[in-house]
Amino acid sequence: MKNFLRELSRDTPGMIGFVIVIIVLALSVFASVIAPADPLEIDVYNRLASPSWQHWLGTDQLGRDIFSRVLYGGRVALKVALISISVALLCGLLLGMIAGFGPSWLDRILVVCFDTMRSFPTVMFALAIMTLTGPSLNTVIAVIIITSIPVYARVVRTQTLAVRNLDFILAERAMGASTLRILRDHILPNISAPLLILASMDVPAVVGMEAGLSFLGLGVGPPTASWGSILNDGYSYLRNSPWPIIAGGIPLILVTLGFTFLGESMRDILDPKLRGKGALNQ
Amino acid sequence: MLEYVIRRSGLALVILLLAVTLLFAMIHMMPGDPASILLGPKASPELKAALNQRMGLDQPLLVQLARFYADLAQGDLGTDVFSNRPVLEMVLEQLPYTIVLVLAAIGGASLVGIPLGCYSAIRHNSLLDRLVGVMSVAFIAIPSFVIALYLLLLLSVKWRWFPAMGAGDSGDIVDQARHLVLPALALGLGWVGYIARLVRTSMLEVMEENHIRTARAFGLSERTIIVHYALRIAVLPTVTILGLGIGTMLSGALFAEIVFSRPGIGKLLHEGVLTRNYPVVMGSVLMTTAFFVLCTLISDVINAMLDPRVRDGESS
Amino acid sequence: MSAPVLNISNLSVNYSTDRGTLHALRDVDLHIQAGRIVGIVGESGCGKSTLISTIIRLLSANACVEEGEVLFQGEDLLALDAKAMRKLRGNELAMVFQDPMTSLNPVLSIGRQMLDIQYRDDGSKAEKKSRSLHMLERVGIPDAATQLDRYPHHLSGGMRQRVAIAMALMTEPSLLIADEPTTALDATLEIQIIQRLRQLQRDVGCAVLFISHHLGVISELCDEVVVMYAGEVVESGGTRQVFDAPKHPYTRGLLECDPASIQASDNILPVIPGQLPDLTDPPPGCIFQPRCDRSVAQCSSQRPRLDGQGHRAACFVATS
């Protein structure tokens, strides 16, 4: 870890990304302490105000303090990212290992399923499901999990296949080591680095997806603040005040740049072989 | 060549069929049934049963699946719950807008990105090259609807350079083009750096290959070597990735259509979701998926046209 | 005897590497008369490739010509600008490369590549095509008309190398440089291609600089031979003279180690003991001295020169 930080400090974009990520995390976690106002408090006499000392990023159409809403919106974004990425990662790990280490017929079926899942444009798929279930944050999380699993599973499968036929693994198997032991002791350590990098690079996509669905009015319901719903509110009052849109977009851009730069840097440090992968997952 | 196209089309058809089946399965595994969604929670059980019967939802699952396939094969995507219009007709009406948008975005991004990547490779480590390197990864990851909103705010609302809404008057090409600029820009902007980086990487690789040395030894001009001998190989991976990238772009197009109130499949789908117009939603999703599968097919065919080794089924 | 086509004198080329300056070529002299075939022989790492890259001016970026000149038809190639150099390449000066599997463009048809290199001619496309066709026939490619529409991956290694030779000789150059053109091919093919090359050379009347580490091929094909070791020319002369009566201990070692000359009853493969010297720090005296079994005191302090005419060797022991 110490080594990693030292390497990171040599890479300027990586360091910038790291700092942004830390700041965003801190602001979101301590939103309740930092926020100057209650994000839900309505002030009808002060609607769509421009930034001032009282309201750093102005107010929205109900007079709520946008800066506070952005901070609380970060909580939603990070909650979605944390839950959906970790669940998708675990499921992907499991399915990928089964595909990579299991019988070949099972592998073929799983690969076809993964590939088919990837043939849907993600947002369209999400909308189809949301028509049936109705809008809610939990559905957003579920949809992100379902669409992310194949991405992780594919990487795990490829890595598992690569490790599986290494000489020392074959030797271990010949010695009678159980499949479970081989997976735990040899394959897991080998695939954890690429998976962590992939997960880091995936954060912007997931956060963007949540914001996008909330922007479409299909994520968090009012009055809860999310970066997407701030943008949605702002879009309706676009001609009255640009501030809600400016304020809602900045954290999304920062999170994207931060995690991407950090992920790129991590990849270069931990696993140079992986260059060029993972940047594209809808 | 023909043999390759047939082989590849067969595969595309299988993928599409699987995707449709998977979508069908997903919907039936999800909680909630179309009847109560359409009629709302307060509808009487009798009314629900009647609707279910009308939509064939009371049949066993396999029978439903078979009917679903049969309808699809006849081009029947169901009817709009409210207007009773055939969904296929509605979808086909909107699809051209989306295709134009996606093609404009991808074409524009390639037109700028490919020469930029080429230049970065030839002048590598120049200032422009390093700029492309830093910008390329991050820009593709910024959600395109954020870019769309900022463009709308700045170029349309504040500076009034471009119109903010719709697709322009039908028949007036110039007006339509003006309406296309901002959505296409929002959709394609992130791809410029990404394409440039892809082309740069493979260009650097190709320029080191032996056949480029041969071309030089025959005194071919540097221009011929770069454009005809190197770039043709260097764009191959980019073509594949662009084919896959259409999927991302279709998702982005949905947002661009909503932000700029532009007609298109995405807008149709979004309206369908908001009004719980289940057949319209399904029809739009199926059509976009089909379009996406078709795009990956086209990108593979382009690859085969550019690379004879792919055509002959040899891995390059 | 006519004027030399290629006249290299005192050529020294360095590479800058992480370990310091690598002296890849030192004081190389080489002359090729018009219409003659000169072979360069030596182990890998002896500087053969650097030498030809210098001649056609396709050296890698970290290389630097320290001194010397490369006169081609009386003109110093090293002094030409890029444009003038490009005019010579593939025109007066042609090249066949080592690896036929990678030296042709994989996505362009044979015909297209042959057409492209005739860009200097004003002739019609049909004329150029028929010339390509004729050339393919001359190098012994069966069914040449269909081959024009095919791609390199359709052809075997031998066929690809024939195509490369056809391309190189199409403009009837004055000098053809062939860099181990047959090394990647099997023995029977090698002989066929060598014979074909010999015949074409007579027809075209060009000079050939033929690089190989295969002594049999060199003795079959070449009029003269130049033996290189660790970036220096150690012996040169008529092929028969050099092969029948080698002067330099290195040439002698090389001939003894040639698998073709070894008797089956010998049971052991002779080798030259030791290894190539470190070219970032070459020995002060004779470059071969550390491995030489006949060296005298002078050898480790003074560099022997390649003096005289005809068959000559850079060795104190051989000339004294």
Side-chain angles (χ1 to χ4, degrees):
Chain A
M1 191 61 206
K2 217 176 199 171
N3 262 337
F4 175 76
L5 281 177
R6 193 180 318 132
E7 292 245 16
L8 191 67
S9 65
R10 270 191 232 125
D11 182 54
T12 317
M15 204 58 211
I16 294 172
F18 184 68
V19 170
I20 293 176
V21 167
I22 294 289
I23 290 175
V24 170
L25 283 178
L27 287 180
S28 307
V29 171
F30 299 110
S32 51
V33 185
I34 301 165
D38 181 349
L40 304 182
E41 194 187 279
I42 297 173
D43 178 4
V44 281
Y45 296 107
N46 212 351
R47 297 167 60 220
L48 295 166
S50 293
S52 63
W53 280 112
Q54 203 192 345
H55 301 290
W56 292 2
L57 291 171
T59 58
D60 69 3
Q61 78 279 9
L62 296 175
R64 296 176 294 199
D65 180 51
I66 298 178
F67 181 64
S68 307
R69 287 181 73 74
V70 166
L71 292 182
Y72 277 90
R75 287 190 160 184
V76 174
L78 292 176
K79 177 183 152 198
V80 171
L82 193 70
I83 296 175
S84 54
I85 291 183
S86 43
V87 174
L89 197 71
L90 281 177
C91 295
L93 194 65
L94 197 68
L95 284 173
M97 279 186 170
I98 291 173
F101 222 87
S104 59
W105 59 267
L106 192 60
D107 179 37
R108 246 170 270 150
I109 291 176
L110 284 171
V111 168
V112 168
C113 287
F114 299 156
D115 283 354
T116 314
M117 278 301 301
R118 284 156 56 113
S119 66
F120 296 111
T122 324
V123 173
M124 313 282 175
F125 181 77
L127 290 187
I129 288 180
M130 296 198 124
T131 321
L132 289 169
T133 56
S136 82
L137 197 60
N138 288 338
T139 317
V140 172
I141 293 175
V143 166
I144 295 176
I145 291 172
I146 294 171
T147 50
S148 305
I149 288 175
V151 180
Y152 291 106
R154 278 218 125 216
V155 173
V156 173
R157 174 184 172 272
T158 316
Q159 299 274 331
T160 308
L161 281 177
V163 178
R164 172 187 177 159
N165 290 325
L166 291 179
D167 281 342
F168 78 95
I169 300 277
L170 293 177
E172 285 249 333
R173 291 180 94 179
M175 302 279 285
S178 71
T179 307
L180 213 63
R181 225 197 95 177
I182 291 174
L183 286 175
R184 194 194 61 209
D185 289 356
H186 299 298
I187 299 198
L188 205 57
N190 266 300
I191 55 181
S192 52
L195 272 186
L196 274 179
I197 297 161
L198 193 64
S200 160
M201 306 278 266
D202 211 18
V203 172
V206 169
V207 169
M209 180 82 160
E210 182 271 318
L213 291 173
S214 296
F215 173 73
L216 296 178
L218 300 170
V220 291
T224 314
S226 137
W227 294 336
S229 64
I230 295 171
L231 286 170
N232 188 17
D233 292 344
Y235 180 65
S236 314
Y237 295 88
L238 182 76
R239 279 158 215 283
N240 308 76
S241 165
W243 294 106
I245 285 187
I246 296 175
I250 289 171
L252 279 167
I253 293 178
L254 280 181
V255 164
T256 305
L257 295 182
F259 276 97
T260 315
F261 283 151
L262 181 63
E264 281 265 306
S265 192
M266 267 166 72
R267 184 182 61 193
D268 291 350
I269 295 168
L270 295 176
D271 193 359
K273 283 182 311 224
L274 214 74
R275 269 178 181 283
K277 274 188 200 162
L280 194 85
N281 52 77
Q282 302 180 17
Chain B
M1 189 68 207
L2 188 68
E3 196 205 318
Y4 176 82
V5 175
I6 292 170
R7 202 154 23 102
R8 187 57 189 74
S9 305
L11 184 65
L13 213 63
V14 170
I15 291 175
L16 190 59
L17 210 62
L18 280 171
V20 168
T21 314
L22 196 69
L23 196 62
F24 183 86
M26 284 278 186
I27 281 155
H28 285 270
M29 280 191 296
M30 280 288 150
D33 63 306
S36 33
I37 286 164
L38 283 170
L39 300 170
K42 285 180 190 145
S44 67
E46 291 79 25
L47 209 59
K48 276 193 207 172
L51 187 75
N52 270 337
Q53 199 187 3
R54 210 184 89 200
M55 292 174 70
L57 295 173
D58 53 344
Q59 306 276 337
L61 207 59
L62 278 177
V63 176
Q64 284 188 46
L65 184 63
R67 281 183 55 172
F68 183 62
Y69 282 144
D71 288 348
L72 267 186
Q74 293 165 25
D76 182 1
L77 293 180
T79 46
D80 183 336
V81 187
F82 303 111
S83 69
N84 256 339
R85 281 182 68 196
V87 171
L88 184 73
E89 195 184 300
M90 296 170 69
V91 169
L92 288 181
E93 203 175 86
Q94 302 294 318
L95 192 62
Y97 291 104
T98 304
I99 293 179
V100 166
L101 174 59
V102 168
L103 288 186
I106 215 161
S110 314
L111 272 173
V112 183
I114 292 176
L116 198 63
C118 232
Y119 181 86
S120 295
I122 296 161
R123 295 275 144 79
H124 66 120
N125 293 331
S126 65
L127 189 68
L128 185 70
D129 176 34
R130 266 175 285 169
L131 209 66
V132 167
V134 176
M135 288 301 146
S136 57
V137 213
F139 266 43
I140 184 88
I142 295 176
S144 65
F145 72 95
V146 176
I147 300 178
L149 283 170
Y150 277 14
L151 286 177
L152 177 72
L153 208 57
L154 196 67
L155 298 184
S156 181
V157 176
K158 192 164 164 60
W159 290 342
R160 301 184 180 280
W161 286 359
F162 294 101
M165 282 174 74
D169 295 336
S170 56
D172 184 351
I173 300 282
V174 179
D175 192 42
Q176 286 180 350
R178 273 169 52 78
H179 280 82
L180 186 60
V181 173
L182 287 186
L185 197 61
L187 208 49
L189 201 60
W191 285 82
V192 173
Y194 190 69
I195 293 173
R197 176 147 147 161
L198 284 172
V199 171
R200 174 188 183 271
T201 311
S202 40
M203 195 72 183
L204 280 178
E205 257 169 45
V206 174
M207 288 303 276
E208 287 298 305
E209 281 173 15
N210 281 343
H211 58 85
I212 295 297
R213 189 186 53 182
T214 309
R216 289 215 169 104
F218 278 107
L220 296 184
S221 71
E222 204 61 15
R223 213 185 97 89
T224 311
I225 292 177
I226 288 167
V227 178
H228 296 290
Y229 280 65
L231 190 56
R232 185 164 166 157
I233 301 173
V235 294
L236 294 173
T238 311
V239 171
T240 308
I241 290 189
L242 284 186
L244 291 171
I246 297 267
T248 320
M249 282 222 172
L250 282 169
S251 299
L254 180 132
F255 289 107
E257 282 162 9
I258 288 160
V259 169
F260 294 103
S261 307
R262 189 186 153 82
I265 268 274
K267 189 128 177 59
L268 181 72
L269 172 58
H270 186 226
E271 277 159 11
V273 174
L274 292 183
T275 54
R276 298 176 166 189
N277 199 337
Y278 173 72
V280 171
V281 170
M282 287 306 290
S284 318
V285 172
L286 282 181
M287 196 53 99
T288 25
T289 307
F291 178 66
F292 178 37
V293 171
L294 182 70
C295 286
T296 53
L297 168 67
I298 290 173
S299 86
D300 279 0
V301 170
I302 293 176
N303 245 329
M305 267 157 57
L306 291 174
D307 189 346
R309 293 167 297 183
V310 174
R311 223 178 294 163
D312 297 338
E314 235 181 68
S315 58
S316 52
Chain C
M1 199 175 267
S2 52
V5 176
L6 188 72
N7 202 340
I8 299 174
S9 46
N10 270 329
L11 184 68
S12 297
V13 174
N14 296 337
Y15 288 105
S16 50
T17 68
D18 300 338
R19 296 187 300 122
T21 309
L22 189 143
H23 304 271
L25 292 179
R26 282 182 317 286
D27 297 322
V28 170
D29 282 300
L30 188 114
H31 313 281
I32 304 176
Q33 308 292 328
R36 301 277 279 177
I37 303 184
V38 175
I40 297 183
V41 62
E43 307 164 78
S44 15
C46 73
K48 295 174 290 189
S49 307
T50 306
L51 180 62
I52 52 170
S53 303
T54 313
I55 300 172
I56 56 167
R57 290 259 306 273
L58 289 176
L59 278 169
S60 54
N62 63 337
C64 154
V65 178
E66 192 68 11
E67 61 166 323
E69 50 180 19
V70 178
L71 294 180
F72 176 70
Q73 295 177 324
E75 241 180 326
D76 189 0
L77 294 184
L78 301 177
L80 288 181
D81 61 18
K83 204 175 159 197
M85 189 63 216
R86 202 159 71 70
K87 221 167 175 174
L88 288 177
R89 284 191 203 131
N91 193 15
E92 284 291 290
L93 186 63
M95 179 88 207
V96 173
F97 287 99
Q98 181 170 8
D99 185 3
M101 305 314 271
T102 58
S103 57
L104 293 171
N105 191 301
V107 300
L108 299 175
S109 69
I110 305 291
R112 167 75 194 274
Q113 296 186 50
M114 295 189 78
L115 200 73
D116 279 355
I117 61 167
Q118 300 179 62
Y119 70 96
R120 293 184 181 91
D121 295 309
D122 298 327
S124 70
K125 222 172 166 180
E127 276 169 34
K128 290 179 179 177
K129 194 177 168 187
S130 83
R131 192 182 305 148
S132 308
L133 200 63
H134 178 60
M135 213 53 227
L136 287 184
E137 278 161 0
R138 279 174 80 186
V139 293
I141 288 183
D143 200 8
T146 37
Q147 310 297 353
L148 278 182
D149 294 327
R150 303 183 77 189
Y151 292 87
H153 71 273
H154 293 133
L155 274 59
S156 67
M159 283 299 153
R160 289 189 212 189
Q161 204 57 299
R162 281 170 206 258
V163 171
I165 292 171
M167 285 169 70
L169 291 176
M170 189 134 68
T171 52
E172 312 217 323
S174 325
L175 176 65
L176 172 72
I177 301 174
D179 180 11
E180 310 224 13
T182 55
T183 307
L185 308 175
D186 63 46
T188 43
L189 263 175
E190 187 167 26
I191 295 166
Q192 284 177 23
I193 288 187
I194 293 301
Q195 283 168 348
R196 186 69 70 167
L197 193 63
R198 172 105 239 187
Q199 189 197 329
L200 284 164
Q201 183 265 337
R202 279 195 200 114
D203 296 350
V204 174
C206 62
V208 176
L209 180 60
F210 190 92
I211 290 98
S212 182
H213 59 250
H214 192 323
L215 297 172
V217 172
I218 295 272
S219 75
E220 174 83 18
L221 181 73
C222 301
D223 306 314
E224 287 161 40
V225 63
V226 170
V227 182
M228 285 187 73
Y229 176 75
E232 288 181 14
V233 174
V234 293
E235 183 164 357
S236 71
T239 309
R240 287 272 66 81
Q241 291 166 301
V242 173
F243 277 36
D244 292 347
K247 284 185 176 173
H248 200 283
Y250 174 69
T251 316
R252 217 167 293 159
L254 207 60
L255 287 168
E256 276 165 17
C257 298
D258 184 28
S261 69
I262 298 164
Q263 312 288 312
S265 56
D266 282 356
N267 278 333
I268 37 165
L269 275 170
V271 286
I272 304 175
Q275 42 187 278
L276 278 172
D278 180 4
L279 290 180
T280 54
D281 182 25
C286 170
I287 189 80
F288 189 61
Q289 183 273 333
R291 295 171 81 179
C292 186
D293 53 359
R294 302 156 140 255
S295 65
V296 293
Q298 196 188 4
C299 297
S300 49
S301 57
Q302 229 179 314
R303 271 182 69 187
R305 304 281 307 175
L306 192 72
D307 289 321
Q309 292 289 316
H311 185 193
R312 59 216 170 117
C315 180
F316 298 118
V317 185
T319 44
S320 58

